Amino acid sequence: MSTDQPPFVRHHRTAQVLVSTFQEALEPQFTAKGALSREEFNRAMGLMMSHWPSVLPLFANICQSCAMASNCQGGGCGNAGGGDAPRILFKPDGRRRDFVTRLMFSTVLLKVPESVDPISGEVFPQVIASGLQTSISGLFYEKEWEALNANALTIYNQIGTDHDEEIWSRISRQDSLAVLVDTMFVRVMLRFRQFHQQRQTFMRRMTDLLRDKRFIFAGTHFDTLFDTMFGRLRDGLRSELDRARVDIHYGEGTSDNLMRIFDQFDKHKLEQAQPVQMLGGRRAPRPMLAQRPMLGATPAAKRR
């Protein structure tokens, strides 16, 4: 192996050799004892190797030399152009601790036009950033959130910047990186399995957090936020093959759970769009639903 290859490439190939050796060593034992058929074992190993690219960004962060010297791009790993340009290192603000919400909210900032609230004078969606951070982290237990946040930081380290437009431009060019990014969105969306209850919980929390800003977090804000953050996941659920990929990447049954949540969300939006029948046959827009008591307490809510 050439000594001028980046550490990431050398380590990745070493890991591939180890996995292949593991397969060759165990296959005769499985065949002799009949504990596992060769066909089943080869199929399992084939799936492992075919999805190997999905671990590349995390593998690159295993050691300091990998993180410093490699940059996995669309055509392969390392400097795709063969030049000597150094990798751009991500240097986060020392005050930032929440990279999950930062990544998710970047989609909102890019897609939702700014609007000024007539009462508070605050600018949406920027005004909800702090409340969103607390609300999303509150959906998870502390250790769950730490693990998810570590993965998000790894993604930023791999990309080398936290500029929103550049982030999503690079993600769109790297399928393996997109799988890791979608992990953040899938995990958060799955916390809305009991959609109607958890929507009310989320609404109430956001209302409380934004009260000092005199900004009313309404149902339309939730719909915009939910659709913008999670709408990109719909494309991965359109065909049977797409749903099979989702289950392979994120766990068996994930695609069904996501589809059920989207169905509940779509039904909710349809109901809210229906006008209310008034006395005398007049029809009027449906008023904002009053906030209900917290129904679906999240892990963080239970601790408080």
Side-chain angles (χ1 to χ4, degrees):
M1 182 181 294
S2 174
T3 58
D4 61 351
Q5 290 178 319
F8 179 25
V9 176
R10 297 198 302 272
H11 296 175
H12 175 226
R13 290 184 176 176
T14 300
Q16 280 189 310
V17 171
L18 289 174
V19 172
S20 298
T21 302
F22 175 77
Q23 179 183 11
E24 293 174 4
L26 289 184
E27 190 172 19
Q29 298 296 324
F30 285 128
T31 301
K33 295 182 178 180
L36 185 67
S37 71
R38 177 173 301 191
E39 181 181 358
E40 292 173 333
F41 182 69
N42 285 342
R43 179 178 179 275
M45 292 304 300
L47 286 172
M48 180 188 295
M49 299 306 292
S50 67
H51 290 89
W52 193 271
S54 66
V55 304
L56 298 188
L58 290 179
F59 194 92
N61 203 47
I62 289 177
C63 66
Q64 184 74 15
S65 60
C66 285
M68 294 289 291
S70 66
N71 185 16
C72 189
Q73 299 183 358
C77 298
N79 191 340
D84 297 326
R87 178 182 178 181
I88 299 175
L89 298 179
F90 173 59
K91 296 180 180 180
D93 186 332
R95 295 169 298 177
R96 183 175 296 283
R97 295 292 183 270
D98 180 0
F99 296 96
V100 177
T101 307
R102 176 70 184 86
L103 182 62
M104 299 187 68
F105 193 51
S106 67
T107 63
V108 180
L109 294 176
L110 287 174
K111 296 180 180 180
V112 178
E114 292 183 356
S115 61
V116 178
D117 182 70
I119 297 177
S120 66
E122 297 284 355
V123 178
F124 178 82
Q126 288 83 343
V127 65
I128 69 171
S130 59
L132 184 66
Q133 177 180 5
T134 302
S135 297
I136 291 181
S137 62
L139 297 171
F140 296 85
Y141 289 109
E142 183 177 353
K143 292 302 180 183
E144 291 176 328
W145 184 251
E146 289 179 4
L148 202 62
N149 199 49
N151 287 346
L153 178 57
T154 297
I155 291 170
Y156 277 111
N157 285 335
Q158 180 60 33
I159 296 175
T161 180
D162 63 350
H163 295 159
D164 297 334
E165 292 185 1
E166 182 63 20
I167 286 173
W168 290 101
S169 175
R170 296 189 186 188
I171 290 172
S172 67
R173 299 195 301 265
Q174 300 181 35
D175 290 342
S176 59
L177 191 56
V179 171
L180 294 175
V181 170
D182 282 348
T183 299
M184 311 291 125
F185 292 82
V186 168
R187 295 305 172 214
V188 175
M189 184 172 167
L190 287 176
R191 297 294 162 146
F192 286 88
R193 287 187 183 92
Q194 304 298 324
F195 178 78
H196 298 292
Q197 295 181 8
Q198 288 152 348
R199 173 184 171 276
Q200 289 294 331
T201 298
F202 189 91
M203 290 280 297
R204 176 175 176 174
R205 180 178 287 116
M206 288 291 288
T207 299
D208 290 343
L209 292 169
L210 296 173
R211 182 173 286 112
D212 291 343
K213 298 180 182 293
R214 297 186 300 118
F215 181 85
I216 299 177
F217 188 79
T220 54
H221 295 127
F222 175 88
D223 294 347
T224 298
L225 192 64
F226 192 92
D227 211 7
T228 306
M229 290 196 303
F230 304 123
R232 63 193 305 270
L233 298 178
R234 287 183 188 264
D235 291 338
L237 303 170
R238 299 194 183 281
S239 70
E240 187 174 348
L241 180 58
D242 290 334
R243 293 190 289 273
R245 288 196 184 100
V246 168
D247 287 344
I248 289 174
H249 289 148
Y250 310 115
E252 188 69 27
T254 300
S255 61
D256 287 341
N257 285 324
L258 294 179
M259 289 178 67
R260 279 193 289 268
I261 295 171
F262 276 127
D263 286 344
Q264 293 178 78
F265 175 62
D266 293 342
K267 181 180 179 180
H268 155 74
K269 287 206 303 181
L270 184 61
E271 290 174 348
Q272 295 306 304
Q274 298 299 318
V276 178
Q277 192 78 25
M278 306 292 288
L279 292 176
R282 185 168 60 90
R283 297 162 71 86
R286 184 180 297 273
M288 183 188 305
L289 292 177
Q291 294 295 330
R292 302 175 186 174
M294 185 177 291
L295 299 175
T298 61
K302 293 177 181 177
R303 293 198 298 270
R304 289 195 285 268

